[in-house]
Structure formats: structure tokens, C-alpha cells
């Protein structure tokens, strides 16, 4: 069953890997829908950026709220989960020399997620669900909003089940020797987290749906928050796992990277599975009804072992790039970086994503998620400032980098306008960084998230946050640049898929110079020891110590800021 | 290579720079873990989560009594209520205002009860520009959220809502007046 034949597979002209044809179709379909959802989210992003930029103030409050709901759902849920389904098909078959296990589960996955996504977007677009992504009860959307979400989640559960089946079949039929590849291991971690994430979602949303059709009382607000965040936060940890897996994948494809010690990388993924779920409580740190002790234990994910996991990947990923570059003869403390293929959008996306996630998203996330510090951060613009550096600058950018390889290798179409593609990751990364810095600064002045302006024009009691105006301009300008960068990615990708030159029967056109490309291919086809003589990752050591210094400064500066506010317990 | 299956024997201890970083990272995680209990014991700000079940109607009745007993003024049609020093103060979040306006004394501890009569709201206290004061707590219907709070600065402080609560959320404001 797991055996590939010439009837159900093809041989990749670039990598020599066998590609199951059914998987290929499912990868294509999921990726196309993902990009459509990204487009919807990007168009909404233009509206949001131009509204929070006070000088322009494009949308009225109702439209601002609706756009925020559209943007959150399509970016955070639909674009990313459809991409992750594509990654699961790829990891469970192509990388294991394996054939897709179940047509029923696979088409069920795609069909249910498509229907669910359609129902939710219909509901929001027609004004039947102006409730934000979180849909906190007792705010109520029309019933199809909840049912669509449930169907989408069931579809995702079918997709993960099919992935588990693929792993089982590949092992049973011995389609590979030894242990599964690291990228597949990362995808497996993501899939396991997905299962308990979706189960939390079911417990939160099924009663809420029954309430929306009048069959139950309104769920308790605190109960709903606890369960909803059991869905909402771990689903972002699925993204983290998938993103790290994509980092390893892109590292291999672009520079021939090789992790120093796979046991370390795999242990880090294991720590995510075991401890990341506790991060759900980060959203409940200033909630009534949960004790301080409970909040501290959970917010530390049991002594920060999931943070440790990210800090491990923060070393192992750049170190794997560094040793490969050194193996090619690019030495010096940072010579390996100077000689990196910066013009390859796959590598550019990987590295920019790594930096934004680590220095931006990671540091702010741990700090804002500290029990007491959350008092000066909860629901301010600092929160979206943080997660745009994890999910957008981190995950979404890594997935864009992946697309620069998926389209030539799976769709077998070449990108045109290659000069634009080469700078696209930098445009997007720059925009997200400017916007996130603006959000963080404005949020530090108390500016709330999910709020159309900062001058409270029609309020009975005047409030004024106009001191934050310059920072709101950064939010608007950065957001506009980021949305433009994402739009460029979409246009290039759609053009490549439908109008790009076919590369069937030959290797993909490399993004790199022939000599760079040859060195990488040579590395990939030989067995070398990443811990061999002369390959010490000293540049990575310096970079990680820099990260730790930035982390410590930001973290303790926030305790200092907290010490200045009113006393409360 | 991360994309190929690995032969047996990959399970081995890290060494060199990788091991050093692991040790440093683990130590840092311990620092992070210790800071929260430390602040809980020594710091002046924490969210204890103290809360009691309350029906919205019942909470509203308590607030009305609080207003009757302590009303000292009316501003913009909203009563200004002086809380008894060291005693209980009440605040309602409802679509779309914070009610009533509170009058407190600097350096005095109060039990501030906050709840919602309808949707979820976000209590967000705002200092004046340059004051660096911003404090945020969740306000849920059915929960009497008790904040044991001591104002450490005097002046007029806005409350805004930072949890989306429907159309009108953007103009939901309130006021706390703190006297020396």
C-alpha cells in the first residue's frame, strides 16, 4: 500500500525524490486555497493599516471591526492551516518515499476545510459575525459562523489523522531506513499539538453553536475564554512547530544545512508537545477566578521548558546553516553569513523570519506572557506587536520562502519577475518590523488593540491617547509596506502557477549562482560530519549571546515599568 | 540533512558550543521561573484573580447602593462617588460606559469590585502622557472581580475599554479621580 510505482508517482527532476501523485494534487489544492485566504487577509490589512494611521483614518468603526475579524481569521487560521495541511501531505509522503494512505480522509480534509472556511467568511462578510476572531461570549454571531469553524476544525483533524496513517504505513512497509527525517519529526510534533488543540476548540465551540441556535443557555464567559484559548494559543504553537520544520527544510534546500545533533533538535520538538499547551493561560493572566499560583505555574509552561525549546532551535537552525557554509570554505566569524545566498528568496525568507521571530516575537512573547508584567500589557497594541513578529514575520514569511520552492518543485512552474521575488522577503520583513515596533511603542502608552482610533471622539468622558500618534503612523506605514510585500508575493505566485514557464523534465531553475548552487548540491549528495574539524559554529554562538542580552534587557526593563504603576493584588 | 531519514545512532549527547548554549538557556529559563514567585512575595503588583459569582442584577443593586451612599457630584450626567477610605468601591462595565466616576485618595487601599452587566469588557486605566501608567484587567459578566488597589499618584485617570464589546466599544470610557 505504501509502495510507490510509476503509476502513482513521479520522480522529481531536481531532487530525485519520488512524489506521490495524489499527494501532489492535495498539496497543490491546499496551497492554492491558502494563497486565496492570504489575499483576503492582505486586502483587509491595507484597510486596517490605513485606519490606524491617524492621519488617514480610512474606515468607520463598524468596517474597522469587520475588517479586523476578516484579517484575523484569514491570516491566523485559514492561510496558515491550509499551508500546514500541504506540509503534512509533503512530509508524510514525499519525504518518506511513501504513498498517501487514505483518499477518503484526504478529500474529507480538503472538502470540510473549504466548506468551513467559506461559511465563516460568508458570515463575516455579510455582517452576521462582527465578533472578532475570538468571538467571546456573550457576544453572538449567527450560527453558521460557529458551525463553519467546527467543520473547518473537523477537516483539519481528518488531515492530521491521514498524516498519522501515512507515518504508520511508511513504517510498516519500510519505505525508509532508520528514523524519520527531522522535518517529518517537526511536522509530527505540529500534528500532535493540532489534535489536542482541535479537541479544546470542539469543547468550546459546540456548546456555543448550540447556544446560537437556541438549544442551550449562554456558556459562562470565563469558561469560554479558558477553552477557547486552549484552541487559540496552541494553534499558534502548531505554527511554531511547522515554521521550525520549514526552517530546517529551507536550510537544507538553500545551503545544504545539516543539524549538529539531531537528538537535541528532536528533544526540543518533544518539549513543545509536552509543555506548550500551558501557554493558553497567557491570555487569562488578568482574568478573574484563576489564582496567582495557578497563573504562574501555567504561564511558565512548567518552568519555561517550551521557551527552552525555542531557544534550542534558535541555536541549532543557524548553527546548521553555519557549519554547511564553513564546509564549503566560507570561514571567518561571520564570513559564512556574508557568503550566504541572500538573493535566494527561500534563504532570505528563512533568515529574516528567524531574526524577526527570535529577536522580536520570542523576546516580547515571553515578557508579555509573564504573569505580573501582563498587567501593563494585556489587550494593548503590544500584543499584536508581539504576534505579528511570530506569526507574520516568522511563520508567514517562512511559508512564503517555502512557496518559492514548492511552486517550481511541486507545481513544476517557474517564477517570472525574479528580481522582484528576490527582494520580496525583505520588503515584507521590513514592513512587519516597522509596524510591530510602532505597535509595541504605542501599546506601551496604553493604546488598546482592536480599536479604530485613539481620540475617542464621541465618548461621554473625554479620553486622549494622542501622544501615541507618531507610533500609530509607524503602525500604518509599516503595515502598508508589509501588506504590499505580501501582495507582491501573491501576485508573483499566482502568475507563476498559472502563467509561469513549465520545468517538466528538467531541474528547477536555481535561485542561486551556478557555483553557489553546485556547492550546495555537492554537500547534499555527500555524507559529512557537521561536528567535524574546523566547523565550529562560533558565529552562531555570538548571535545567540546577543539574543540573550537583548532578551535580558527587555525583560528587566518591563519589570521596572511595572514597579512604577499603582499597587494591586 | 533534515530531509532524509537518519540511520540509527543519532541519539547522542550534545557537546561543544551547543552544550554550552543549552546550559545557558536552561539557566535563563530558571531566572524567568523564579522572577514571578519573587515578585509575588516582594513586588507590589500582581493579579490574584480574586472573584465571586454574581448575577448582573445583584451586582447592579450593590453598585446603586454604593452610588446612593457616596455620591458627591455629577459630571456629564454620571454620578461621582467617593469611596470610603480603605473600604469597597464598585465599578460597572456596560455597553458602553464605565459607571460611576470614582473618587479615591492617594496612598489608600481599596477593594475595587468590577463586573459587567452584558458583554466582556477590558478595564484599562490610563495615566496622562509621560506618566507611564497603564493597568489592564478583564471584566466578565457573572464575575465580581475584586482588585485590591492603592493609587500611588493623584490626578484624573481615564478608564477605556480594551476588550471588543460590539459597536460602541470605541467610545466606552470612564474616570477615576485621585486626590492627594
Amino acid at each position: 500500500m505504501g509502495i510507490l510505482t510509476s503509476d502513482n508517482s513521479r520522480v522529481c527532476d531536481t531532487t530525485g525524490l519520488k512524489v506521490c501523485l495524489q499527494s501532489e494534487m492535495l498539496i497543490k489544492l491546499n496551497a492554492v486555497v491558502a494563497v486565496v485566504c492570504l489575499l483576503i487577509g492582505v486586502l483587509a490589512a491595507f484597510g486596517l493599516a490605513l485606519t490606524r494611521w491617524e492621519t488617514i483614518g480610512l474606515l468607520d468603526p463598524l468596517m474597522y471591526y469587520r475588517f479586523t475579524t476578516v484579517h484575523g481569521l484569514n491570516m491566523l487560521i485559514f492561510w496558515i492551516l491550509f499551508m500546514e495541511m500541504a506540509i503534512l501531505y509533503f512530509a508524510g509522503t514525499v519525504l518518506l518515499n511513501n504513498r498517501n494512505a487514505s483518499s477518503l480522509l484526504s478529500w474529507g480534509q480538503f472538502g470540510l476545510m473549504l466548506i468551513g472556511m467559506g461559511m465563516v467568511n460568508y458570515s463575516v462578510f455579510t455582517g452576521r459575525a462582527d465578533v472578532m476572531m475570538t468571538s467571546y461570549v456573550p457576544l453572538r454571531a449567527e450560527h453558521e459562523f460557529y458551525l463553519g469553524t467546527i467543520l473547518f476544525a473537523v477537516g483539519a483533524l481528518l488531515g492530521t489523522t491521514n498524516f498519522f496513517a501515512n507515518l504508520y504505513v511508511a513504517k510498516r512497509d519500510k519505505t525508509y531506513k532508520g528514523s524519520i527525517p527531522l522535518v517529518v519529526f517537526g511536522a509530527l510534533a505540529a500534528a500532535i499539538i493540532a489534535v489536542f488543540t482541535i479537541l479544546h476548540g470542539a469543547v468550546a465551540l459546540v456548546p456555543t453553536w448550540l447556544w446560537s441556535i437556541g438549544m442551550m443557555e449562554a456558556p459562562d464567559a470565563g469558561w469560554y475564554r479558558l477553552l477557547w484559548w486552549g484552541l487559540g494559543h496552541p494553534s499558534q504553537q502548531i505554527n511554531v512547530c511547522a515554521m521550525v520544520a520549514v526552517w530546517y527544510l529551507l536550510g537544507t534546500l538553500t545551503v545544504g544545512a545539516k543539524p549538529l545533533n539531531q537528538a537535541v533538535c528532536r528533544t526540543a520538538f518533544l518539549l513543545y508537545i509536552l509543555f506548550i499547551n500551558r501557554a493558553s493561560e497567557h491570555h487569562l493572566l488578568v482574568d478573574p477566578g484563576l489564582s496567582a499560583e495557578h497563573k504562574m505555574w501555567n504561564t511558565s509552561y512548567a518552568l519555561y521548558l517550551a521557551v527552552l525549546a525555542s531557544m534550542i532551535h534558535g541555536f541549532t537552525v543557524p548553527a546548521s546553516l553555519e557549519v554547511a557554509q564553513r564546509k564549503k570554505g566560507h570561514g571567518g566569524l561571520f564570513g559564512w553569513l556574508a557568503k550566504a545566498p541572500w538573493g535566494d528568496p527561500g534563504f532570505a525568507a528563512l533568515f529574516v523570519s528567524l531574526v524577526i521571530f527570535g529577536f522580536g516575537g520570542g523576546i516580547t512573547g515571553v515578557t508579555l506572557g509573564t504573569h505580573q508584567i501582563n498587567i501593563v500589557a494585556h489587550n494593548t497594541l503590544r500584543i499584536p506587536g508581539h504576534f505579528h513578529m511570530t506569526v507574520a514575520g516568522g511563520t508567514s514569511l517562512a511559508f512564503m520562502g517555502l512557496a518559492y520552492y514548492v511552486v517550481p518543485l511541486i507545481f513544476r512552474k517557474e517564477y517570472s519577475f525574479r528580481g522582484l521575488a528576490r527582494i520580496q522577503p525583505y520588503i515584507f520583513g521590513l514592513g512587519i518590523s516597522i509596524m510591530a515596533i510602532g505597535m509595541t511603542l504605542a501599546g506601551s502608552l496604553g493604546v488598546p488593540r482592536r480599536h479604530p482610533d485613539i481620540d475617542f471622539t464621541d465618548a461621554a468622558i473625554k479620553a486622549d491617547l494622542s501622544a501615541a500618534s507618531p507610533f500609530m503612523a509607524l503602525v500604518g506605514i509599516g503595515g502598508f509596506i508589509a501588506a504590499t510585500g505580501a501582495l507582491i508575493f501573491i501576485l508573483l505566485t499566482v502568475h507563476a502557477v498559472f502563467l509561469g514557464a513549465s520545468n517538466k523534465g528538467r531541474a528547477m531553475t536555481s535561485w542561486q549562482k551556478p557555483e553557489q548552487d553546485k556547492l550546495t548540491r555537492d554537500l547534499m549528495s555527500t555524507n559529512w560530519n557537521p561536528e567535524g574539524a574546523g566547523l565550529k559554529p562560533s558565529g552562531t554562538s555570538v548571535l545567540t549571546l546577543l539574543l540573550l542580552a537583548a532578551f535580558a534587557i527587555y525583560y528587566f526593563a518591563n519589570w521596572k515599568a511595572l514597579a512604577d504603576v499603582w499597587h494591586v493584588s | 540533512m533534515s530531509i532524509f531519514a537518519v540511520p540509527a545512532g543519532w541519539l547522542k549527547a550534545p557537546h561543544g558550543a551547543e552544550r554550552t548554549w543549552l546550559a545557558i538557556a536552561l539557566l535563563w529559563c530558571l531566572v524567568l521561573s523564579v522572577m514571578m514567585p519573587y515578585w509575588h512575595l516582594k513586588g507590589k503588583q500582581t493579579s490574584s484573580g480574586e472573584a465571586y459569582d454574581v448575577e448582573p442584577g445583584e451586582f447592579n443593586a450593590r453598585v446603586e447602593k454604593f452610588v446612593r451612599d457616596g455620591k458627591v457630584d455629577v459630571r456629564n450626567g454620571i454620578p461621582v462617588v467617593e469611596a470610603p477610605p480603605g473600604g469597597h468601591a464598585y465599578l460597572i462595565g456596560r455597553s458602553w460606559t464605565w459607571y460611576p466616576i470614582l473618587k479615591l485618595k492617594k496612598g489608600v487601599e481599596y477593594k475595587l469590585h468590577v463586573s459587567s452587566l452584558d458583554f466582556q469588557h477590558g478595564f484599562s486605566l490610563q495615566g496622562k502622557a509621560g506618566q507611564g501608567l497603564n493597568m489592564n484587567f478583564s471584566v466578565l459578566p457573572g464575575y465580581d472581580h475584586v482588585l485590591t488597589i492603592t493609587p500611588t499618584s493623584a490626578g484624573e485617570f481615564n478608564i477605556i475599554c480594551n476588550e471588543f464589546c460590539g459597536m460602541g466599544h470605541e467610545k466606552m470610557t470612564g474616570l477615576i479621580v485621585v486626590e492627594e
Side-chain angles (χ1 to χ4, degrees), chain A residues 65 137 179 183 220 225 261 285-287 289 295 311 372 375 379 446 460-462 565-569, chain B residues 2 6 10 12 18 21 36 44-47 49 76 120 126 136 138 143 148 150 153 158 162-163 170 173:
Chain A
Y65 295 137
V137 297
S179 303
V183 172
D220 177 83
R225 288 168 69 86
N261 184 324
L285 295 179
V286 293
D287 270 23
K295 287 170 179 171
M311 291 179 78
Q372 293 96 342
I375 293 170
N379 272 2
I461 300 169
K462 291 294 155 223
V565 305
W566 291 4
H567 301 168
V568 66
S569 63
Chain B
S2 309
V6 285
W10 54 266
K12 53 182 185 194
E18 190 165 34
W21 174 249
M36 289 189 288
K44 301 289 186 195
Q45 297 84 7
T46 198
S47 163
N76 300 13
Q120 301 190 18
Q126 304 279 338
N136 308 283
S138 301
Y143 289 76
T148 304
T150 309
S153 43
N158 279 119
N162 69 8
E163 190 73 85
E170 69 283 354
T173 56

Side-chain angles (χ1 to χ4, degrees), chain A residues 445-490:
Chain A
L445 297 182
V447 176
R449 65 188 291 199
R450 294 173 167 180
H451 213 281
D453 63 32
I454 55 173
D455 47 18
F456 301 87
T457 322
D458 300 323
I461 300 169
K462 291 294 155 223
D464 184 12
L465 290 172
S466 57
S469 285
F471 304 139
M472 299 311 287
L474 283 184
V475 173
I477 294 166
F480 188 85
I481 296 171
T484 305
L487 191 60
I488 292 171
F489 164 78
I490 295 167

Side-chain angles (χ1 to χ4, degrees), chain A residues 417-439:
Chain A
F417 314 105
R418 296 174 80 84
L420 196 54
R422 290 178 201 284
I423 58 169
Q424 182 274 332
Y426 301 106
I427 299 173
F428 183 74
L430 178 74
I432 287 290
S433 301
I434 294 173
M435 181 184 77
I437 289 168
M439 284 176 158

